Amino acid sequence: MSDSVKRLAVLGSTGSIGRQTLDVVRALPDRFRVVGLAAGKNIALLAEQINEFRPEFVSYAPGNNEGKEVPAELAGSVRQFISLEDMACHSQADMVVIATSGKMGLAPTLAAVKAGKNVALANKESLVMAGEIIIKEAERSGAQVLPVDSEHSAIWQCLEGEKQKASRIILTASGGPFAHYSPAQLASVTVEQALEHPSWRMGRKVTIDSATLMNKGLEVIEAHWLFHMPVDSIDVLVHPQSIIHSMVEFIDGSIKAQLSYPDMRLPIQYALSYPERLPNPRLPRVDWSKINSLTFQPPDLAAFPCLGLAIEAGKRGGTCPAALCAADEVAVELFLSRRIGFVDIAEFVGRVLAQHQVIANPALEEIMEADAWAREKMLKITGGDS
Amino acid sequence: MSDSVKRLAVLGSTGSIGRQTLDVVRALPDRFRVVGLAAGKNIALLAEQINEFRPEFVSYAPGNNEGKEVPAELAGSVRQFISLEDMACHSQADMVVIATSGKMGLAPTLAAVKAGKNVALANKESLVMAGEIIIKEAERSGAQVLPVDSEHSAIWQCLEGEKQKASRIILTASGGPFAHYSPAQLASVTVEQALEHPSWRMGRKVTIDSATLMNKGLEVIEAHWLFHMPVDSIDVLVHPQSIIHSMVEFIDGSIKAQLSYPDMRLPIQYALSYPERLPNPRLPRVDWSKINSLTFQPPDLAAFPCLGLAIEAGKRGGTCPAALCAADEVAVELFLSRRIGFVDIAEFVGRVLAQHQVIANPALEEIMEADAWAREKMLKITGGDS
């Protein structure tokens, strides 16, 4: 194995980002090697991935595998089974890709940055919940937290080489599938409609969050922590074509933008290859003869109250974003299982947040308590615990 | 005077770029000081500028002032009068701003880079004519050649901090005032129409060059030298709003763009303040609530043959771009004095170039000979010498 090969542990390998991460590795086998794979649900696909990538160690369930029975599909494998946290700080991994969705990404992210491991972070919930703790731990250990979200990758690319802080971040948003819906139309949105995103193919949770614009709100908080930028200096701009992935304004008024077709493999690869860029024939090139127009409009905060709720939670700070995340995660699950409607997501998340007692500069335990409190409160409000 | 004050010699101070350079100095008096001013024609304005900025030395005519009579407006001034070339390498100047138009910028540009002076270069003709010589001299002396053209400033800003070469440059073009004109309409374009640029306020020569798209072709050659990029890897894209000032594509397919309202003071200030950015309340901020759409289209090479002529000259290399520049400079003068029509500019420049015998890797004398040959040839073809 050459010195220039980066050894990756991919957590959440069977999800959307995990699968696209493995596609980047497939295209660049001389530069990346998968030494660890972790997945929680899709054991059949995990077995295929193990067969193809031959990792040194595997995690097949959320949390610790110890004492659990090895699933039949993996039983023939001679690999070592370890916990997510152990994988996140394994000495054989040069970089940890956190592609798990929701709250589950927090513990391995923290374990990785504490161990000084560079993290390619696709899991925005961990930064939203515990951004202050993660960034402080990373500064202490020297670990790099490299964003995988296309918007944050864009901001990061635009900031590269700049000697001074940005004065403003302009986060672009596709606007989701319902950008032009009336309140009545929004009230009758079905699960199937909400799962059809116009420009990005993503996992189910983030697709629903994109439809409510909660995702963009979480990204505001994520950008706040990643780029040390006040929430007030982060604007959201709807850009339906999803070609400009975000913009940064500098103190002289100059703006830089990063553009590409919407394909998550590009920001994933940038995080993996940084500080290099690598040629990858699988990545599409923008054909400007086919792009007539890029359009922009302000977000409709009245129609999509989740965005305002998230920005407000970001400003309140402390445990508030963790409560937001937890309430949203439960609400999205309830919507996907058809127990609440689309507009109920914002309604119920708003009610939970209104009752949340924010603790400033929280310890991890207080964040987890806020998470548990918000989940319970959401189930109570929606009758989902009955 | 503090150490952080950069001392500037501004050559071409009464022209459009020169005046805007002084406006940047006016806004940032703690950071910049004008030690030299040079102008050739507008002596009244030069006298005003001397009065306001109190430079140490002045040049009031093209070439050497020695032996010439000091104009009455400047006679009261106690300043030192020197030649353009002496000003370009004066020990008291930290940076030389070359804002003269046309061929006249070449000699002082060369003098400055030979002397190791950093040059903020708005004069594209010098790079088009003698790019290879200027860049080599700058590499030898350690002088920086910092672009002032908005497009090249955009490319430069996008490349800043990137560790690898770009794979493609996408030069944007407003398309000029006649982007949608029919051949018949183009044939009857008047001087007044051609001097009305839709988005940029510039000098007369560059405004006509923008209307014929010759300017964009010269910029392709300029980008070729500034960024060591093959002419074939530089695309031109019409973008009428002039908000995206150019783009750079990297080997992974990622594109960066630089955006701002069309205001030359921003790229001027960036060149002056580099590697810093400075806050300047006079520079406008993009208001995204007012930008609905950015549009793009390929350039119409049939309607605007000057663009193709320039790209072709860039590919032929050697003395060809110098012949192009000279032929165009004369043709534009003839058009402005109403001796030839708008479409004749391309027609006659094409004829001159078709007869040009290219000398590869030319010395400066050969470049000047090609320049003189093309001017004479153009006058002969057009009957302009009669």
Side-chain angles (χ1 to χ4, degrees):
Chain A
M1 198 187 295
S2 129
D3 277 354
S4 67
V5 174
K6 209 175 265 180
R7 295 166 303 174
L8 309 175
V10 183
L11 280 60
S13 63
T14 59
S16 172
I17 297 293
R19 293 195 310 272
Q20 293 181 82
T21 301
L22 296 182
D23 195 53
V24 170
V25 174
R26 245 177 233 119
L28 300 163
D30 296 341
R31 303 304 302 267
F32 303 113
R33 164 145 166 64
V34 174
V35 293
L37 285 174
K41 291 174 191 157
N42 192 340
I43 299 298
L45 179 55
L46 177 60
E48 277 178 39
Q49 292 175 343
I50 291 172
N51 199 39
E52 179 181 358
F53 291 96
R54 310 254 156 209
E56 311 292 321
F57 40 90
V58 167
S59 178
Y60 59 84
N64 203 320
N65 295 304
E66 224 174 305
K68 289 182 190 161
E69 205 177 324
V70 175
E73 294 94 325
L74 307 182
S77 159
V78 292
R79 303 285 166 322
Q80 184 193 357
F81 293 103
I82 61 176
S83 73
L84 270 185
E85 282 81 349
D86 286 347
M87 187 175 294
C89 47
H90 200 287
S91 63
Q92 284 201 36
D94 300 314
M95 173 176 264
V96 183
V97 182
I98 310 271
T100 52
S101 115
K103 175 192 166 189
M104 247 179 52
L106 178 53
T109 301
L110 256 178
V113 296
K114 277 185 180 170
K117 289 278 171 211
N118 291 344
V119 173
L121 188 60
N123 175 273
K124 65 191 64 162
E125 285 84 352
S126 49
L127 269 183
V128 172
M129 291 175 74
E132 191 168 6
I133 294 174
I134 291 170
I135 297 300
K136 272 192 186 155
E137 286 290 349
E139 279 166 2
R140 193 192 50 73
S141 73
Q144 289 181 312
V145 179
L146 310 174
V148 164
D149 250 356
S150 61
E151 293 82 358
H152 303 82
S153 179
I155 296 162
W156 177 30
Q157 291 180 55
C158 291
L159 286 169
E160 190 65 11
E162 293 286 337
K163 278 98 195 154
Q164 290 146 288
K165 268 194 63 134
S167 61
R168 188 162 61 122
I169 284 175
I170 301 149
L171 263 183
T172 53
S174 70
F178 311 128
H180 300 291
Y181 272 39
S182 68
Q185 286 176 301
L186 282 174
S188 61
V189 158
T190 66
V191 171
E192 288 71 25
Q193 287 174 311
L195 285 175
E196 281 294 325
H197 194 273
S199 46
W200 289 101
R201 294 178 54 219
M202 305 173 290
R204 286 159 64 92
K205 163 72 163 51
V206 64
T207 301
I208 302 303
D209 280 346
S210 292
T212 61
L213 294 201
M214 176 62 85
N215 184 56
K216 204 51 55 180
L218 299 180
E219 287 176 4
V220 169
I221 302 173
E222 197 185 355
H224 161 65
W225 290 117
L226 280 171
F227 307 111
H228 306 275
M229 182 65 65
V231 170
D232 273 335
S233 300
I234 304 171
D235 292 345
V236 172
L237 184 65
V238 174
H239 165 50
Q241 296 82 23
S242 299
I243 299 289
I244 294 183
H245 298 301
S246 275
M247 301 189 263
V248 175
E249 186 183 281
F250 300 98
I251 53 171
D252 56 3
S254 182
I255 292 174
K256 276 193 206 168
Q258 186 269 334
L259 304 84
S260 62
Y261 286 131
D263 186 320
M264 283 305 298
R265 291 174 303 175
L266 175 58
I268 291 169
Q269 179 179 307
Y270 187 74
L272 301 189
S273 70
Y274 179 82
E276 260 187 284
R277 293 183 184 273
L278 298 176
N280 178 349
R282 297 187 187 203
L283 292 178
R285 305 263 150 172
V286 171
D287 180 352
W288 286 98
S289 72
K290 299 212 171 83
I291 295 181
N292 300 318
S293 166
L294 301 177
T295 65
F296 307 92
Q297 64 201 63
D300 184 344
L301 289 165
F304 299 98
C306 281
L307 176 57
L309 287 171
I311 292 171
E312 181 61 28
K315 288 182 188 165
R316 287 171 74 192
T319 49
C320 202
L324 170 88
C325 262
D328 177 60
E329 203 165 317
V330 176
V332 169
E333 276 165 31
L334 291 171
F335 170 68
L336 285 173
S337 58
R338 299 167 209 274
R339 296 172 70 176
I340 66 172
F342 182 74
V343 295
D344 294 335
I345 298 174
E347 171 64 26
F348 291 131
V349 169
R351 280 202 227 164
V352 170
L353 287 187
Q355 294 179 48
H356 182 61
Q357 305 279 336
V358 176
I359 298 172
N361 307 309
L364 191 60
E365 301 69 47
E366 291 166 315
I367 289 169
M368 300 317 290
E369 277 164 25
D371 171 275
W373 172 87
R375 284 170 196 272
E376 197 183 340
K377 182 62 75 180
M378 177 58 85
L379 290 174
K380 206 167 267 171
I381 289 175
T382 56
D385 60 346
S386 62
Chain B
M1 195 186 300
S2 129
D3 278 353
S4 68
V5 174
K6 209 176 267 182
R7 295 165 303 173
L8 308 175
V10 182
L11 279 60
S13 65
T14 59
S16 172
I17 298 291
R19 294 195 309 272
Q20 294 182 80
T21 300
L22 296 181
D23 194 55
V24 170
V25 173
R26 243 177 234 120
L28 300 162
D30 297 341
R31 302 305 300 269
F32 304 113
R33 163 142 168 65
V34 174
V35 293
L37 286 173
K41 291 174 191 159
N42 192 341
I43 299 298
L45 180 55
L46 177 60
E48 278 180 37
Q49 292 176 342
I50 291 171
N51 198 38
E52 179 179 359
F53 291 97
R54 310 256 157 209
E56 310 293 323
F57 39 91
V58 167
S59 178
Y60 58 82
N64 203 321
N65 295 307
E66 225 172 306
K68 289 182 190 158
E69 204 178 325
V70 175
E73 294 96 325
L74 307 182
S77 160
V78 290
R79 300 289 167 318
Q80 183 192 359
F81 293 102
I82 61 175
S83 73
L84 270 186
E85 284 80 349
D86 287 347
M87 187 175 294
C89 48
H90 201 287
S91 63
Q92 284 201 38
D94 300 314
M95 174 177 263
V96 183
V97 181
I98 312 270
T100 53
S101 117
K103 175 192 165 187
M104 247 179 51
L106 178 53
T109 301
L110 256 177
V113 296
K114 277 184 181 170
K117 290 277 173 211
N118 290 344
V119 173
L121 187 61
N123 176 272
K124 66 191 66 165
E125 285 84 353
S126 49
L127 269 184
V128 173
M129 291 176 74
E132 192 168 5
I133 295 172
I134 291 170
I135 297 300
K136 272 191 185 156
E137 286 291 348
E139 280 167 2
R140 195 192 49 71
S141 74
Q144 289 181 312
V145 180
L146 310 175
V148 164
D149 249 356
S150 61
E151 294 81 357
H152 302 84
S153 179
I155 295 162
W156 176 31
Q157 291 180 56
C158 290
L159 285 169
E160 189 64 11
E162 293 286 336
K163 279 100 196 152
Q164 290 146 289
K165 269 193 62 133
S167 61
R168 188 161 60 122
I169 283 175
I170 301 148
L171 263 183
T172 52
S174 71
F178 311 129
H180 300 290
Y181 271 40
S182 68
Q185 286 177 300
L186 282 174
S188 60
V189 159
T190 66
V191 170
E192 288 70 25
Q193 287 174 310
L195 285 174
E196 280 293 325
H197 194 272
S199 44
W200 290 101
R201 293 177 54 219
M202 307 174 290
R204 285 160 64 93
K205 162 74 164 50
V206 63
T207 301
I208 302 303
D209 281 346
S210 294
T212 62
L213 295 199
M214 176 63 85
N215 184 55
K216 205 50 56 178
L218 299 180
E219 287 176 4
V220 169
I221 302 173
E222 196 185 356
H224 160 66
W225 290 117
L226 279 171
F227 306 112
H228 306 276
M229 182 67 65
V231 171
D232 273 335
S233 301
I234 305 171
D235 294 344
V236 172
L237 183 65
V238 173
H239 164 51
Q241 297 81 26
S242 299
I243 299 289
I244 294 184
H245 298 301
S246 275
M247 301 190 263
V248 175
E249 186 184 281
F250 299 98
I251 54 171
D252 56 2
S254 183
I255 293 173
K256 277 192 206 169
Q258 187 269 332
L259 303 86
S260 61
Y261 286 131
D263 187 319
M264 282 308 297
R265 292 174 301 175
L266 175 58
I268 291 168
Q269 179 179 307
Y270 187 74
L272 300 189
S273 70
Y274 178 82
E276 260 188 283
R277 293 182 183 274
L278 298 176
N280 178 349
R282 297 188 188 203
L283 291 179
R285 305 265 151 172
V286 172
D287 180 352
W288 286 99
S289 72
K290 299 213 170 83
I291 295 181
N292 300 317
S293 167
L294 302 177
T295 64
F296 308 93
Q297 64 201 63
D300 185 344
L301 289 165
F304 299 98
C306 282
L307 176 57
L309 287 171
I311 291 171
E312 183 61 27
K315 288 182 189 166
R316 286 171 74 190
T319 50
C320 202
L324 170 89
C325 261
D328 177 60
E329 204 165 316
V330 178
V332 169
E333 277 165 28
L334 292 171
F335 170 68
L336 285 173
S337 58
R338 299 169 209 270
R339 297 172 69 178
I340 66 173
F342 182 75
V343 295
D344 294 335
I345 299 175
E347 171 65 25
F348 292 130
V349 170
R351 280 201 229 164
V352 171
L353 288 188
Q355 295 178 49
H356 183 61
Q357 305 279 335
V358 176
I359 298 173
N361 307 308
L364 191 60
E365 300 70 45
E366 293 167 314
I367 289 169
M368 299 317 290
E369 278 164 26
D371 171 275
W373 171 87
R375 283 170 198 271
E376 196 182 338
K377 181 62 77 181
M378 176 58 86
L379 289 175
K380 207 165 271 173
I381 288 176
T382 56
D385 59 348
S386 62

